[in-house]
Amino acid sequence: MYSTDTKCVQAGYNPKNGEPRVLPIYQSTTFSYDTPEEMGDLFDLKKSGFFYSRLANPTVAEMENKIAQLDGGIGAMGCSSGMAATTLTALTLCHAGDNIISLSTIYGGTYNLFATTLPKLGISCRFVDPDAPKEKIEELIDEKTKFIFCETIANPAMRILDFEKLSEVCKKHKLLLVVDNTLATPVICKPIEFGANIVIYSSTKYLDGHACALGGIIVDCGNFTYLNNDRYPDFNQPDASYHGMVYASDLGQSAFIVKARVQCMRDIGAMLSPQNAFLTQLGMETLHLRMARHSENAMAVAKMLKENKAVEWVSYAGLESHLDNHLVKKYFTNQMASGMVTFGIKGGREAAQKFQKALNLIRIVTHIADVRSCVLHPASTTHRQLSDADLAACGISDNLIRLSLGIEGTKDILDDIKNALYQSQN
Ligand SMILES: *Cc1c(COP(=O)(O)O)cnc(C)c1O
């Protein structure tokens, strides 16, 4: 078994004699066969192979293979974005009348999907506070509940997931635990080791890491039993739309990821493109080096902010003073806490604007988690339509600044921020 570092570089594509050393981009929608029988066997899943890139493509498959190995899962599916990955997961598991439970501290786009879009399809979401006790979460579960959703590192709340609490609830109720591991990546945390059943990524963030390619990934941990589980009748009855297949008994361990592909991806078509799979795979080759550096730079910035007079508060789970620091110690590799830091600047909105304008190296970007450091003031950008009261309800104050620390030289980043903080107060 190779280490995570070696898997980042080498897992996945493994050329045979005389083949290209680097993963080729198979820029083809279709694949050709000598006989109709061979093509028929592919449709019946009797043989594995490619026939149409909406369902599977060799470049995408090697990227999927790499992330599945990194996470310790049994398979993965590339999607056109992180949002597509979450949507396809929900649609593979739920139909009208079903419900899901989600921690309230999740990415804004996912919150909107759960609070507004899925309810239009008859799938409701029950939000719960991350600090709610187990009993409170259990009260929300009924026979129509299909999964519990949460983020390893919540964006932008910066809360760390209490895996033990949620996985105990899920095991007791034979319920799936779905974890968005975007900000941690498998380098910092492998959710499968702490009870997750399905892991989701926006590969747009650290996996690509260069802000080049939108993408999403669903990883199936292969550690959940659907067979004869009354909560999942769709897995235990023949699927008339796919040759009468009974996913739980015909596929066993890989029931979820095959259903996600042959049913949901087939019908919805939010597939990752070969070009973006290539770029994502390339990014992942240096993921282990980058996550260490992102974490190091973020820690240095968080420590500096804590001592700076222009700063009211700092939120970074790597700091001893953060309320979730014990969870970083419990679950994260080498106590790395990833590259995002939030803080409150003295002087509210006005100081926040002055601060951003005074930055030179760090640019104003609606993005996080790439090699270049960037800054965002949610109250005047992503959340600008909200009143101050609504902002407070989302846990976003008008002086909150979100920094995503890149992999530039630490001193250059610190100097840029210190200078801008000084200017913001004068
Ligand atoms: C960005 C993000 C998403 C959405 O991903 P896209 O690739 O932008 O669709 C989902 N979850 C988290 C935690 C994110 O940061």
Side-chain angles (χ1 to χ4, degrees):
M1 250 307 234
Y2 288 122
S3 66
T4 297
D5 292 12
T6 302
K7 284 183 192 165
C8 281
V9 183
Q10 294 246 10
Y13 179 61
N14 187 15
K16 295 188 199 71
N17 190 34
E19 288 184 350
R21 181 65 190 97
V22 174
L23 173 63
I25 304 173
Y26 289 90
Q27 194 66 51
S28 182
T29 58
T30 44
F31 303 85
S32 89
Y33 288 91
D34 293 338
T35 66
E37 288 79 12
E38 279 175 272
M39 188 69 107
D41 284 348
L42 292 176
F43 273 91
D44 287 346
L45 300 183
K46 279 186 194 146
K47 272 169 96 172
S48 63
F50 302 96
F51 48 95
Y52 190 51
S53 286
R54 168 154 44 76
L55 279 161
N57 168 283
T59 309
V60 179
E62 295 300 4
M63 190 283 293
E64 295 167 340
N65 197 350
K66 172 170 266 180
I67 190 83
Q69 288 188 45
L70 273 167
D71 255 319
I74 51 113
M77 182 167 78
C79 307
S80 54
S81 68
M83 290 312 303
T86 306
T87 303
L88 283 161
T89 299
L91 295 181
T92 301
L93 297 169
C94 308
H95 49 68
D98 290 339
N99 66 74
I100 61 182
I101 295 170
S102 173
L103 295 193
S104 54
T105 42
I106 52 170
Y107 173 71
T110 310
Y111 188 91
N112 201 59
L113 170 70
F114 291 172
T116 309
T117 303
L118 290 184
K120 289 180 187 168
L121 306 178
I123 301 162
S124 60
C125 182
R126 300 161 179 187
F127 290 101
V128 64
D129 190 279
D131 294 320
K134 263 193 272 189
E135 301 71 43
K136 189 90 191 281
I137 301 171
E138 291 192 66
E139 278 169 23
L140 298 174
I141 300 172
D142 61 27
E143 76 280 5
K144 296 281 191 187
T145 305
K146 291 291 146 67
F147 63 90
I148 295 185
F149 184 91
C150 44
E151 294 177 3
T152 307
I153 303 176
N155 176 11
M158 304 301 291
R159 296 299 304 271
I160 307 299
L161 184 62
D162 185 344
F163 280 98
E164 195 175 321
K165 178 170 80 178
L166 289 186
S167 71
E168 277 176 14
V169 170
C170 284
K171 282 199 182 101
K172 182 170 162 193
H173 294 267
K174 295 187 177 152
L175 178 62
L176 285 161
L177 182 60
V178 179
V179 178
D180 179 334
N181 198 40
T182 297
L183 292 193
T185 81
V187 169
I188 289 182
C189 180
K190 295 180 180 52
I192 187 176
E193 292 173 1
F194 309 112
N197 306 112
I198 295 166
V199 182
I200 288 175
Y201 293 95
S202 164
S203 63
T204 317
K205 311 293 168 52
Y206 287 117
L207 299 187
D208 162 29
H210 297 76
C212 290
L214 272 171
I217 306 170
I218 307 170
V219 179
D220 187 344
C221 298
N223 56 0
F224 190 83
T225 308
Y226 299 89
L227 192 64
N228 301 327
N229 183 335
D230 295 339
R231 195 179 286 290
Y232 301 97
D234 279 6
F235 284 78
N236 286 286
Q237 290 158 8
D239 178 2
S241 87
Y242 209 87
H243 314 290
M245 181 179 283
V246 182
Y247 297 103
S249 52
D250 292 353
L251 298 161
Q253 253 200 330
S254 54
F256 169 79
I257 202 71
V258 174
K259 185 176 192 282
R261 191 184 297 276
V262 301
Q263 189 185 63
C264 280
M265 187 60 89
R266 176 198 64 187
D267 292 357
I268 290 164
M271 188 61 177
L272 186 64
S273 71
Q275 178 77 36
N276 281 357
F278 172 82
L279 290 168
T280 304
Q281 198 293 136
L282 190 61
M284 284 162 66
E285 291 180 1
T286 54
L287 185 65
H288 54 305
L289 299 178
R290 290 186 286 107
M291 292 318 293
R293 188 58 178 265
H294 283 296
S295 302
E296 212 178 291
N297 280 345
M299 189 65 163
V301 167
K303 281 184 175 159
M304 180 273 284
L305 289 172
K306 218 165 151 25
E307 302 303 320
N308 195 291
K309 287 196 290 293
V311 173
E312 276 182 6
W313 53 266
V314 184
S315 186
Y316 183 63
L319 291 175
E320 288 276 347
S321 56
H322 192 278
L323 81 162
D324 292 336
N325 186 253
H326 65 287
L327 297 171
V328 170
K329 290 182 172 143
K330 186 170 173 184
Y331 298 123
F332 291 1
T333 309
N334 298 335
Q335 294 186 37
M336 288 186 279
S338 199
M340 224 171 85
V341 177
T342 60
F343 71 98
I345 194 163
K346 272 195 193 129
R349 281 171 197 262
E350 200 192 328
Q353 303 300 46
K354 278 192 188 168
F355 171 76
Q356 292 176 88
K357 284 182 193 161
L359 289 166
N360 292 311
L361 186 68
I362 300 175
R363 300 293 178 89
I364 303 167
V365 179
T366 307
H367 194 245
I368 50 163
D370 71 79
V371 290
R372 287 159 287 261
S373 293
C374 62
V375 65
L376 194 78
H377 178 232
S380 63
T381 55
T382 48
H383 294 66
R384 67 180 291 136
Q385 74 285 2
L386 301 187
S387 67
D388 282 356
D390 288 344
L391 276 179
C394 305
I396 293 172
S397 53
D398 69 349
N399 69 344
L400 182 149
I401 290 176
R402 186 180 79 183
L403 288 170
S404 170
L405 287 317
I407 60 169
E408 303 94 338
T410 312
K411 183 171 181 302
D412 294 333
I413 295 174
L414 291 173
D415 287 350
D416 199 31
I417 297 173
K418 278 192 255 182
N419 172 57
L421 283 172
Y422 177 79
Q423 308 251 354
S424 75
Q425 307 295 308
N426 292 290

